[in-house]
Amino acid sequence: MAFPINLIITLLFSSLFQISFAAFTPTDNYLLNCGANTNASFFSTRSFLGDSSRQGSAFLSTDRSISLSDPNPPPDSPALYHTARIFPGGSSPPPAYKFTVTSNGTHFIRLHFAPFKAPGFDLTSAKFRVLLNGFSVMNCLATINSVVVKEFLLKIDVPLLEISISPSKPSGFAFVSAIEVFSAPNDYIIDKGTKLVTPNSAQIFSNLSSQILETVHRINVGGLKLTPFNDTLWRTWLVDDNYLLLKAAAKRAWTTNPPNYQTGGATREIAPDNVYMTAQEMDRDDQELQARFNISWGFPVGSRRVLHLVRLHFCDIVSSSLNQLYFNVFINDYLAARDVDLSTLNFHVLASPLYIDFVAESDHDGMLRVSVGPSDLSNPARANALLNGVEIMRVLNPVRSKVGSGKKSFLWIILGSVLGSLALLVLCGLCFCRRKSKKTKRSESIGWTPLRRFRGSSNSRTTEGTVSSSGYQTLRISFAEIQSGTNNFDRSLVIGVGGFGMVFKGSLKDNTKVAVKRGMPGSRQGLPEFLSEITILSKIRHRHLVSLVGYCEEQSEMILVYEYMDKGPLKSHLYGSTTNAPLSWKQRLEVCIGAARGLHYLHTGSSQGIIHRDIKSTNILLDDNYVAKVADFGLSRSGPCLDETHVSTGVKGSFGYLDPEYFRRQQLTDKSDVYSFGVVLFEVLCARPAVDPLLVREQVNLAEWAIEWQRKGMLDQIVDPNIADQIKPCSLKKFAETAEKCCADYGVDRPTIGDVLWNLEHVLQLQVSGPLDKPEEVSGDLTGSGTARSGSNTVRDNGDGTSGIISSTQVFSQLMTNNGR
Ligand SMILES: *[C@@H]1O[C@H](CO)[C@@H](O)[C@H](O)[C@H]1NC(C)=O
Ligand SMILES: *[C@@H]1O[C@H](CO)[C@@H](O)[C@H](O)[C@H]1NC(C)=O
Ligand SMILES: *[C@@H]1O[C@H](CO)[C@@H](O)[C@H](O)[C@H]1NC(C)=O
Ligand SMILES: *[C@@H]1O[C@H](CO)[C@@H](O)[C@H](O)[C@H]1NC(C)=O
Ligand SMILES: *[C@@H]1O[C@H](CO)[C@@H](O)[C@H](O)[C@H]1NC(C)=O
């Protein structure tokens, strides 16, 4: 049953006026309009004091700052954002602001950054750090393109709050547009009973109120956006639509009755009425879904394996009587709360608001997933689950004795992000290599490693898809050999951390360098993935797929050993690495072509076809010759069977690369990989992550953002500056069209990976021999597979400095014949 959205809005809207706000009055309450000598109101409720006024300048603790006004303020921007205070560099800048704190306890600190351009200062280019009472809470190195509001929660037990805002480089400058400092209600963050959600055990996270928290998401589930005007603590709550992993699983629920607040439950300060008056519940009317399923939300948090406070808000607005609703809560697939019964938790009053705090670590992709689903206690006919609101706050200074030390995980994050899932990889019976190595002299066996064996240009015809004449036979490697080759799993050899476990750099007895992927003991999902990976890896091998050397399953260990890829993930050659120079445009095209070939082989090369499911720039690795190989088949599943057009499985994959159609319909096709590959193409072009939650909303998702610029015909504006002057316009045009087609909303509109490959070859041809300036009209547009392509010619760089021209039909027949084994 779909209710008209305007009816929903009308109901919500009319209910707003029935609510009487008993306004909260904070003990400490400082609101500054920085760089201004006049007061400014914001969302009509509060007045911000100009910090250049006599009264306001009392809070400034440095005299080395500048007031700046926007010479051309946009007509719709609030007056608060028309001025800013600039802090220039220097050797040891003093704190910027000081506030006297009269009430002990948790305080809200909100910093507003509204960039503008004024003579002498382009605020978008400011790079700076912020410290609160000496704790570093923010290090802004990215360009600030639109208003950013950062909110921190800090327990203060000294009578003073010092905010230091200083440039990252002595030559630079820092700025701030507005500051809010006010005391939180008593018990806003409580220490008792917060559950630490971990894979295997229930632990209590104590001392939450001593942590410095940074708000990452604040979501009004099932409702409308709420502004500071609608909220007792002047918070902003966003809608949940963009985070719902499967929209069809959820439907909106709402009530027009104000919530029944109960002593001991939530208060209006914990979340405003509007949050508790709307929710998402299970959409059991959807015929496609079975009666038992979860509603899941995925929240990108921008940092991996970092603790977050996850505050979930509930209010049973869907039941007609008590004890009808029992549900389970999962965070990152781990059980967080079982058989939640809001009626008993809430003193047997229906529709009374409640919140539950959890602490959980973000996953290796920087995501937190929240799911609610029916519990076994539910009456099957009425099974339901609901959620009204979510807040996610990063724990900035984890003081913890459990779950490993903070320092260690920090190291892993660094390793993980620099090298990514470097080692992971895939395929083929290197076993063969190892077997041979035992029989032959060492020099020969080294000569047989896949790196040497397949050395040559990415276009070399003879080695493509070569299959061992002995067929596949994966080799077991003894645990003892792996142990000694990794110095007993020396932490200093860790080159990556993935969903499956840790990856170590190591060597075998014959000195072959390998990447050793060790399954986490007791990992719940590990075994099926392990078996899936071995099965798949052993079926296929290809020059552009990473090779499996062997495996070990002794002593309840699950270990996969792969060929070692010297240059690591593609991503680290695009951005975010201080050691790698960015690849040239031509190198990038060659890498994309290589990866497309690997993927094409997966889709068409084995009898059934294999869908990778997790194509991303950290799963494309480069060998010492910068030859691209597709890695990590841990999530792979075999492709469609003859009588099916899709494979239905639980949604997996990486945020930002995931096919939106896969979300919607939970149907997986090889076109899902094509979508992800399109995102990689944009990443290669723009050199930024697929999802960057720190950017403003329109820019967070790379594919959406790039396609918007592409449609405006201005994609050249966002090309990686490192390659902008190398790209010929005709090659950019064709490349962008290809990437855009890959990211089409519907799978049927996307090209096959074979078409993508052919188009990328064409892009390379245009780059090598196309005209220098005006975009050429190119023939052979992306269409469904099977379109005639004869006539187009492709120039190929043979890698030895020579070029040749072959027809695209030849390219294809070459691919086809190489698919066989
Ligand atoms: C600005 O606001 C402060 C308090 O926030 C008030 O004391 C002062 O009178 C106001 N100044 C003007 C010019 O309105
Ligand atoms: C605030 O806390 C400090 C130390 O915990 C204490 O010395 C001080 O008296 C407290 N102040 C108030 C106003 O409660
Ligand atoms: C809580 O954290 C504070 C500050 O980090 C520390 O001083 C205190 O001892 C901790 N208390 C407990 C019970 O761990
Ligand atoms: C929230 O406040 C805005 C004004 O900023 C108002 O227009 C809107 O109706 C309010 N929304 C709700 C759901 O109360
Ligand atoms: C809900 O999700 C959890 C965690 O992923 C899973 O274990 C559970 O089986 C799911 N429940 C249903 C009913 O699908």
Side-chain angles (χ1 to χ4, degrees):
M1 300 191 281
F3 287 86
I5 187 77
N6 48 354
L7 172 64
I8 300 176
I9 292 173
T10 315
L11 288 172
L12 288 172
F13 195 73
S14 56
S15 65
L16 173 76
F17 298 104
Q18 296 162 9
I19 301 163
S20 55
F21 280 104
F24 167 72
T25 314
T27 321
D28 294 317
N29 192 14
Y30 301 104
L31 306 172
L32 291 185
N33 177 14
C34 303
N37 51 22
T38 54
N39 292 356
S41 81
F42 190 58
F43 285 101
S44 74
T45 47
R46 296 180 299 166
S47 172
F48 284 63
L49 176 66
D51 75 351
S52 306
S53 68
R54 196 148 49 84
Q55 209 183 342
S57 59
F59 300 105
L60 268 171
S61 60
T62 170
D63 44 17
R64 298 180 34 225
S65 70
I66 301 164
S67 308
L68 198 68
S69 302
D70 188 347
N72 306 299
D76 52 347
S77 85
L80 188 63
Y81 293 157
H82 294 178
T83 58
R85 181 159 299 277
I86 310 291
F87 300 95
S91 43
S92 58
Y97 291 94
K98 279 192 177 133
F99 301 91
T100 309
V101 171
T102 57
S103 72
N104 274 353
T106 302
H107 283 66
F108 276 87
I109 294 145
R110 275 189 209 128
L111 305 174
H112 300 239
F113 303 92
F116 56 77
K117 292 182 180 150
F121 292 98
D122 174 358
L123 300 189
T124 59
S125 67
K127 309 266 180 287
F128 55 93
R129 306 195 315 139
V130 175
L131 282 73
L132 300 179
N133 275 355
F135 276 106
S136 174
V137 293
M138 187 176 162
N139 193 2
C140 171
L141 297 173
T143 306
I144 305 183
N145 288 314
S146 58
V147 176
V148 173
V149 179
K150 289 278 182 182
E151 179 185 280
F152 303 98
L153 282 164
L154 173 68
K155 182 177 182 174
I156 305 181
D157 47 18
V158 289
L160 194 67
L161 170 67
E162 288 185 342
I163 303 181
S164 146
I165 304 173
S166 59
S168 298
K169 283 194 211 130
S171 58
F173 65 92
F175 82 100
V176 63
S177 309
I179 297 180
E180 301 174 46
V181 174
F182 60 92
S183 9
N186 285 341
D187 296 333
Y188 188 75
I189 302 287
I190 52 171
D191 281 333
K192 285 199 207 97
T194 304
K195 187 167 164 193
L196 179 63
V197 181
T198 63
N200 29 39
S201 65
Q203 297 175 35
I204 297 298
F205 187 92
S206 52
N207 230 351
L208 189 57
S209 72
S210 305
Q211 314 294 331
I212 301 178
L213 302 174
E214 175 184 355
T215 306
V216 187
H217 291 287
R218 181 169 281 140
I219 309 291
N220 180 15
V221 176
L224 300 177
K225 177 180 173 178
L226 303 177
T227 65
F229 177 79
N230 315 118
D231 182 282
T232 46
L233 295 180
W234 312 282
R235 293 164 293 207
T236 299
W237 299 74
L238 300 179
V239 300
D240 67 322
D241 303 20
N242 288 343
Y243 305 102
L244 256 180
L245 292 184
L246 179 62
K247 290 205 167 87
K251 76 177 177 201
R252 285 165 198 269
W254 69 95
T255 173
T256 52
N257 301 322
N260 297 313
Y261 291 101
Q262 298 296 310
T263 313
T267 63
R268 225 166 237 140
E269 279 70 52
I270 292 294
D273 294 8
N274 282 308
V275 168
Y276 294 116
M277 290 162 66
T278 60
Q280 298 275 14
E281 63 174 318
M282 286 170 62
D283 186 357
R284 304 210 295 129
D285 305 334
D286 193 314
Q287 297 305 310
E288 281 183 47
L289 294 165
Q290 291 161 358
R292 299 181 82 74
F293 54 89
N294 292 322
I295 316 175
S296 301
W297 292 261
F299 299 100
V301 296
S303 50
R304 309 167 195 198
R305 306 235 175 245
V306 168
L307 287 180
H308 288 76
L309 167 61
V310 179
R311 173 168 287 186
L312 304 182
H313 299 269
F314 300 102
C315 182
D316 183 356
I317 55 171
V318 300
S319 299
S320 49
S321 66
L322 290 169
N323 303 104
Q324 282 187 356
L325 179 66
Y326 298 91
F327 59 93
N328 295 330
V329 179
F330 302 90
I331 298 180
N332 279 353
D333 296 338
Y334 302 130
L335 185 65
R338 184 198 296 277
D339 306 330
V340 177
D341 174 4
L342 296 176
S343 332
T344 43
L345 288 171
N346 244 355
F347 323 101
H348 307 283
V349 175
L350 202 58
S352 63
L354 174 88
Y355 72 95
I356 310 181
D357 283 347
F358 301 98
V359 171
E361 225 176 36
S362 54
D363 72 6
H364 60 282
D365 290 322
M367 290 281 293
L368 271 168
R369 262 184 324 284
V370 173
S371 311
V372 292
S375 106
D376 295 339
L377 298 183
S378 321
N379 172 346
R382 271 203 290 263
N384 203 353
L386 99 170
L387 182 64
N388 303 65
V390 181
E391 291 175 272
I392 296 182
M393 301 178 206
R394 185 176 301 140
V395 177
L396 292 181
N397 60 331
V399 183
R400 51 185 184 137
S401 45
K402 294 159 188 157
V403 220
S405 81
K407 212 170 191 170
K408 199 190 321 170
S409 33
F410 178 69
L411 174 68
W412 291 1
I413 291 159
I414 302 267
L415 285 167
S417 55
V418 172
L419 291 167
S421 37
L422 202 185
L424 331 191
L425 342 191
V426 183
L427 305 230
C428 101
L430 272 234
C431 44
F432 179 71
C433 146
R434 294 208 2 108
R435 174 146 48 84
K436 191 147 185 168
S437 73
K438 290 196 171 138
K439 288 194 203 150
T440 54
K441 289 195 201 100
R442 195 159 96 188
S443 57
E444 270 180 58
S445 72
I446 291 174
W448 203 89
T449 65
L451 297 180
R452 310 289 172 120
R453 172 83 166 81
F454 295 134
R455 176 180 223 115
S457 91
S458 59
N459 294 316
S460 138
R461 297 186 199 184
T462 48
T463 55
E464 192 98 33
T466 305
V467 174
S468 149
S469 57
S470 65
Y472 96 80
Q473 183 186 356
T474 311
L475 194 75
R476 274 172 198 266
I477 301 178
S478 74
F479 185 65
E481 179 172 1
I482 295 173
Q483 227 176 351
S484 86
T486 54
N487 202 6
N488 197 14
F489 302 101
D490 189 340
R491 285 286 151 86
S492 68
L493 296 175
V494 173
I495 50 177
V497 184
F500 180 80
M502 270 190 278
V503 186
F504 299 82
K505 182 178 173 176
S507 59
L508 296 179
K509 276 189 262 175
D510 62 7
N511 281 342
T512 320
K513 274 199 276 177
V514 290
V516 174
K517 193 169 165 186
R518 185 188 196 191
M520 253 173 303
S523 143
R524 292 194 312 159
Q525 296 169 329
L527 192 61
E529 287 183 6
F530 184 69
L531 298 176
S532 143
E533 196 148 346
I534 292 193
T535 315
I536 291 168
L537 304 194
S538 46
K539 271 203 279 189
I540 45 177
R541 52 182 311 185
H542 186 273
R543 169 180 156 71
H544 291 290
L545 298 174
V546 175
S547 304
L548 179 71
V549 178
Y551 71 98
C552 167
E553 51 166 0
E554 279 167 46
Q555 306 180 8
S556 67
E557 289 279 350
M558 296 182 294
I559 298 174
L560 293 169
V561 179
Y562 296 95
E563 94 181 86
Y564 181 74
M565 300 290 285
D566 260 340
K567 298 281 195 267
L570 165 62
K571 180 178 177 177
S572 69
H573 295 271
L574 298 173
Y575 55 91
S577 159
T578 47
T579 46
N580 299 326
L583 297 177
S584 72
W585 177 235
K586 186 159 164 277
Q587 279 176 310
R588 291 182 199 196
L589 288 177
E590 282 163 354
V591 166
C592 293
I593 289 170
R597 277 169 196 258
L599 199 51
H600 182 261
Y601 182 74
L602 279 182
H603 286 182
T604 59
S606 65
S607 56
Q608 259 204 326
I610 287 163
I611 301 170
H612 185 291
R613 297 182 24 129
D614 200 15
I615 290 291
K616 54 182 173 180
S617 59
T618 46
N619 276 342
I620 297 172
L621 306 185
L622 306 181
D623 74 8
D624 53 356
N625 293 318
Y626 292 96
V627 172
K629 302 195 182 208
V630 176
D632 201 354
F633 288 63
L635 299 177
S636 300
R637 295 291 180 277
S638 288
C641 299
L642 288 178
D643 55 348
E644 280 178 312
T645 56
H646 68 273
V647 183
S648 182
T649 64
V651 172
K652 283 193 174 174
S654 299
F655 213 69
Y657 295 93
L658 251 178
D659 174 6
E661 190 173 47
Y662 178 21
F663 267 165
R664 276 196 300 271
R665 303 171 54 200
Q666 290 222 338
Q667 290 180 357
L668 180 68
T669 70
D670 48 8
K671 297 295 182 70
S672 307
D673 282 349
V674 171
Y675 180 91
S676 311
F677 192 73
V679 177
V680 171
L681 294 181
F682 280 126
E683 206 178 340
V684 159
L685 186 67
C686 306
R688 55 147 282 187
V691 166
D692 187 345
L694 301 177
L695 295 174
V696 296
R697 201 182 181 85
E698 318 80 82
Q699 299 183 16
V700 168
N701 184 297
L702 169 61
E704 285 170 15
W705 182 61
I707 286 172
E708 200 186 306
W709 284 87
Q710 160 75 353
R711 297 210 170 128
K712 285 191 283 189
M714 292 164 66
L715 192 67
D716 55 322
Q717 303 288 306
I718 59 166
V719 167
D720 178 8
N722 288 308
I723 51 165
D725 48 6
Q726 302 167 12
I727 305 189
K728 288 187 186 164
C730 54
S731 100
L732 173 61
K733 179 167 183 283
K734 183 81 188 158
F735 185 87
E737 284 168 6
T738 307
E740 186 185 359
K741 286 274 189 180
C742 288
C743 294
D745 275 347
Y746 294 93
V748 290
D749 300 330
R750 292 176 207 146
T752 64
I753 194 69
D755 292 320
V756 174
L757 173 56
W758 181 76
N759 277 274
L760 290 174
E761 293 269 11
H762 193 165
V763 173
L764 183 60
Q765 172 199 352
L766 290 168
Q767 178 65 26
V768 173
S769 60
L772 265 176
D773 34 29
K774 64 172 183 355
E776 169 196 318
E777 270 323 307
V778 287
S779 58
D781 224 352
L782 289 163
T783 46
S785 55
T787 312
R789 295 190 184 82
S790 53
S792 299
N793 288 332
T794 307
V795 174
R796 329 188 96 213
D797 180 340
N798 288 337
D800 52 7
T802 65
S803 291
I805 295 189
I806 59 168
S807 80
S808 58
T809 3
Q810 277 174 285
V811 176
F812 266 79
S813 53
Q814 172 201 335
L815 283 162
M816 298 311 173
T817 50
N818 284 331
N819 291 336
R821 307 197 259 139

